[in-house]
Amino acid sequence: MKSFSYERARTPAEAAASALRRPDAKFIAGGTNLLDLMKLEIETPAHLVDVNGLALDKIEATPEGGLRIGALVRNTDLAADSRIRRDYGVLSRALLAGASGQLRNKATTAGNLLQRTRCPYFYDTNQPCNKRRPGSGCSAIGGFSRQHAVIGASEACIATHPSDMAVAMRALDVTVEAVRPDGTTRNIPIADFHRLPGDTPHIETTLQPGELITAVTLPKPVGGTHVYRKVRDRASYAFALVSVAAIVQRDGSGRVALGGVAHKPWRVEAADAELPRGARAVATKLLANARPTRDNAFKLALAERTIGAALTEAKG
Amino acid sequence: MKFDSPATTNPIDRLKVVGQPFSRIDGPLKTTGTAPYAYERHDVAANQAYGYVVGAAIGKGRIAGIDLGKAKTAPGVLAIVTAENAGKLGKGRLNTAKLLGGPEIQHYHQAIAVVVAETFEQARAAAALIRVDYAKEQGAFDLASLTDKAKPNAITGGPADTAVGDFAAAFAAAPVRLDARYSTPDEAHAMMEPHATIAAWQGDKLMLWTSNQMIAWNAAEMATILGIPKENVRLDSPFVGGGFGGKLFPRADALLAALGARAAKRPVKVALQRPLMFNNTTHRPATIQRIRIGATTDGKITAIGHESWSGDLAGGKADGAVSQTRLLYAGAHRMTATRLATLDLPEGNAMRAPGEATGMMALEIAMDEMAEKLGIDPVQFRIVNDTQVDPEKPERPFSQRQLVECLRNGAARFGWSRRNPQPGRMRDGRWLVGMGAAAAFRNNLLTKSAARVRLDSSGIVTVETDMTDIGTGSYTIIAQTAAEMMGVPLEKVKVRLGDSAFPVSAGSGGQWGGNNSTAGVYAACVKLREAIAQKLGFNSAEAEFADGEVRAGNRRVPLTQAAGEAGITAEDEIEYGDLAKKYQQSTFGAHFVEVGVDAATAEIRVRRMLAVCAAGRILNPKTARSQVIGAMTMGVGAALMEELVVDRRAGFFVNHDLAGYEVPVHADIPHQDMFFLDETDPMSSPMKAKGVAELGICGVAAAVANAVYNATGVRVRDYPITLDKLLERMPDVG
């Protein structure tokens, strides 16, 4: 671990300003991902801005009929919130499918969105990785890539985003609220929040330098049946090979987003329209132009079958 | 004590303490976090500094240059040891690869330096400042491409190849035949406690507080490597947080702590960092196996052949996957062959039931496949081919062999008759349900073991032996043995283990620890009883030790009085004659597994498992049960998820942490049960016990595999059985 300086921010804007002043700074909240990465010197911030003291831990109703989730709401608390369980079941289920009880107690809403990939080459500092060391190359291409992206990847990176929560949030079309150093706020639709790797896989979101996530806003409930299916080799405490967040209405319409297949939660609005025609039609639209590796080509069939299972489950 | 004729009645047979399900006596220490594990022994030496290990970044090649400049001047740094400044180091006989590499690099993450600093964080930060230039070399990293170049290699307990009768002719003539290839991947021990050592020098004497399964081996090995007399090395390892064979031999933590302490001139502690463990230490090597079975139409095996290929560093040894096929089933014509390829991957070596576990993974699928070809129930097929003698040497009977009883008992308990032999026909909601069975089979190994026993004036019996407790329950069964022999309650026995200053025991490995170490304690107790009887003027053959007293005729003397102020001490060793040559000593069992396979996603989940085992006298049914269910869990890992994935370009195991190398979690094991059949084996030792710790892993992965086949109709012969290997051939979703 590299030495770093540390401060406790008193207001979101102050935190943002501090981070802007120090390009080598990182925010720290739950630390469930960042601290591990710092110990391995995958992340080497010279300055940490601790945001845990900011009062961003409430879940409040919005005038639009939705909910505003503070950035520091812990995953456990968010999953257990009665309003979330009642109106946004897919989010609660996705959260509970992730990590372990201990980690969910610590991990925050904003931190979950910002967690880094679990590509094993990203974790081994001896190996080239464009995400860790831009320009060094991608070891996963031609290497062990069973967990990796099948769509939206690039010649520079085939990593996936590991979050379950973000997949549900993509299906729910949340808005990410960020504060800027000048105290003004910006709302970013979740669809625009995570980036595809392109030739800059180390830049993972559209947050600008200094911007701090303050909340995630859920639109008013959309109803329907909420399903989250996470497919993995062991029954718990594993990242998704493929996951499906589905919200299905009584008339068969709805939304579907995939996890474990891309550098970001994967949703194609045109695929939603195929829902009444079944899993194959949805998967064909969702995964058009997929370019899997030999190790992970199974994810295409798996995604289709898991969508099918989710739709069956939704029909009850 | 020489054990060279079958055991007769002895004080252990009273079974007042032995054979009872006592909770482990070290349990409170562990549950309160006060059991002293190596890295946490802050009190044993003052002024401990911290070592951080640097692993090689290449799979094969040389260090062209190493720049320690920045690291040396980093805050808190006390010393940096590399092969350049370590002085001359010997090569031990137990490890294939050097524990400190450089300039030659033999495998990825081979230790090349240890940085010693005032704090762990300083050592870690400084280690990151070391700059190494490597000259990479082309290595051999792909076993499958090297099978043609593999050479015959002897396995533990036997030659590379065996042959009886005319296998080729008999196989060709058999009306029903199977010829199939299987593979098992490289696997990691992945024990919870990392390899860890605190080292301190006093003059030319070295003290190592470490985590190790085999104390005497390691004291000798460390002396060889360091080039110092054996008596100058002392090891202490009272608690071990899991080993599974990964701590049989000294590892880099011990050597680098010793070298670091010498360089820093103060005690140094080193734990292998988790991401290093998978490539730095040993692992269970991958195998490719070919099995051929020929049988008559009524299911009698006439020909059985088993070939295995594995790889290791030059000078290493082969996985003994074929060993159990030599003994398990009848059949007049037989062959086995073991081939070893040279690989530049990290060192392959023992892991829980080495050879047996991998071989049974393949053999017991083959038996299931063959039963299906024959149209015979797979449990019945195994029963039909039982043998009560070593099939390669029919003059050698098994000392005890209750495989058939285990299979029958298990089948009845499990509800095997409800299995539909047609695959893919059982359904429970979204789950395709299947049942599978397999034999469990692991040999019982005899090895000498010594102990010292002292009776003091307060009536406390203290046992000292360098035996280790690696989570197995050694403390408890040793205490039970001494309590039974001396006629005292369990709480009157104190057990001290793991110190090389104590008499040399069997140690923990190969499921030999339980039977041999307690037999050694038995021998010492016999001597102590004789000494007490003699002191009291009793005829030792008539003296009875019970309820804290020695009795003979109408005389009764409390042990407290018999001990006198000075106490009485006795030491002895159990040694073995040739009973193991005359009789094949083995343990048996039967595994039954029910799985559900998600009809849509092909996710495999074990629903319930059962093992029925016959393994000699069970010294403590509670700790023995824990051993078996733990082994069954490890077998589920081997069946469904464990695989060190080889990057064949760079030559290393890619998934080298516990996020990438998955082992079962609680949610994977919803229902598990096991039973022991009554058995005493007078050929094994005066304890009439045998090993049990590794029996539980042998065969269980195949039982899972067979259940997956029964659920889906998809036969997977390459472990681990993951959903991607099923998906294409899964029945259509309705």
Side-chain angles (χ1 to χ4, degrees), chain B residues 606-623:
Chain B
V606 170
R607 290 157 67 100
R608 59 193 183 102
M609 347 175 38
L610 167 73
V612 174
C613 299
R617 171 175 283 155
I618 300 307
L619 302 175
N620 180 327
K622 188 183 269 186
T623 54

Side-chain angles (χ1 to χ4, degrees), chain A residues 1 39 41 120-121 124 126-127 139 141-144 146 229-235 238 298 302 305-306 309, chain B residues 57 108 124-125 128 430 598-601 603 605 645 647 649 652 654 656 662-663 668 722-724 731 733:
Chain A
M1 191 184 283
K39 289 173 188 172
E41 297 203 0
Y121 297 100
D124 187 335
N126 293 327
Q127 305 304 321
S139 306
I141 296 174
F144 173 49
R146 183 169 180 263
R229 279 295 293 273
K230 180 176 184 179
V231 180
R232 44 188 161 173
D233 295 317
R234 68 178 171 189
F298 73 93
L302 181 61
R305 293 176 77 109
T306 310
Chain B
Y108 196 71
R124 183 175 60 189
R430 67 188 239 214
D598 189 297
T601 63
E603 284 165 289
R605 300 287 180 257
V645 179
D647 186 310
R649 305 162 303 175
F652 72 109
V654 181
H656 54 68
E662 291 182 9
V663 298
D668 291 301
T722 46
L723 61 90
D724 45 305
V733 188

Side-chain angles (χ1 to χ4, degrees), chain A residues 113-288:
Chain A
L113 284 175
L114 296 173
Q115 66 181 298
R116 314 232 29 212
T117 186
R118 293 286 167 167
C119 173
Y121 297 100
F122 175 69
Y123 269 82
D124 187 335
T125 50
N126 293 327
Q127 305 304 321
C129 170
N130 288 321
K131 200 180 260 302
R132 183 166 28 76
R133 206 162 66 230
S136 61
C138 173
S139 306
I141 296 174
F144 173 49
S145 56
R146 183 169 180 263
Q147 289 277 354
H148 288 70
V150 295
I151 192 159
S154 70
E155 294 302 311
C157 180
I158 59 170
T160 54
H161 194 270
S163 172
D164 293 296
M165 182 195 82
V167 181
M169 286 185 168
R170 181 67 183 90
L172 289 163
D173 270 337
V174 304
T175 304
V176 180
E177 179 192 302
V179 65
R180 297 183 176 114
D182 64 4
T184 60
T185 59
R186 180 164 83 99
N187 290 313
I188 310 162
I190 184 80
D192 301 332
F193 182 77
H194 292 105
R195 298 173 80 251
L196 289 177
D199 52 11
T200 54
H202 57 293
I203 305 171
E204 292 169 352
T205 71
T206 53
L207 285 173
Q208 297 301 306
E211 281 187 325
L212 171 73
I213 298 174
T214 46
V216 169
T217 302
L218 286 160
K220 71 175 195 219
V222 296
T225 303
H226 290 216
V227 176
Y228 190 75
R229 279 295 293 273
K230 180 176 184 179
V231 180
R232 44 188 161 173
D233 295 317
R234 68 178 171 189
S236 176
Y237 201 45
F239 296 96
L241 291 166
V242 164
S243 69
V244 173
I247 301 169
V248 184
Q249 305 296 339
R250 227 171 248 177
D251 63 3
S253 68
R255 310 153 170 210
V256 60
L258 296 181
V261 298
H263 200 253
K264 59 190 281 187
W266 195 253
R267 183 166 166 214
V268 175
E269 272 71 2
D272 292 348
E274 300 291 328
L275 272 168
R277 279 176 284 281
R280 177 148 302 172
V282 174
T284 304
K285 272 275 187 330
L286 257 177
L287 296 171

